[in-house]
Amino acid sequence: ATWRGTLTALASVTITIEAVIDPGTAGQTLSNQGTVNFDADGDGTNESSTTTDDPAAPVGPVAPQAETT
């Protein structure tokens, strides 16, 4: 999924990804990793990026989400 837009300070956006899980995958781990590109210096060019979560963190609903300021 791709979202292009402008956010004010402290604003957020939610991107929902729909997935179909194949039968026979019980016991498998499902994960997703995204990249956020952003303009860190305010010059109108997205020269910086970060991942949407910490790949070293445990999987599950408590995994940290990306935050850029």
Side-chain angles (χ1 to χ4, degrees):
T2 299
W3 176 82
R4 296 180 187 274
T6 302
L7 296 175
T8 59
L10 303 177
S12 66
V13 64
T14 299
I15 298 173
T16 301
I17 300 171
E18 294 185 32
V20 176
I21 310 304
D22 292 335
T25 57
Q28 301 291 319
T29 299
L30 175 67
S31 63
N32 183 56
Q33 180 73 54
T35 302
V36 177
N37 299 298
F38 61 98
D39 178 9
D41 59 13
D43 69 354
T45 300
N46 290 340
E47 78 286 334
S48 299
S49 65
T50 189
T51 56
T52 55
D53 63 26
D54 179 355
V59 296
V62 296
Q65 301 298 305
E67 292 184 20
T68 58
T69 56

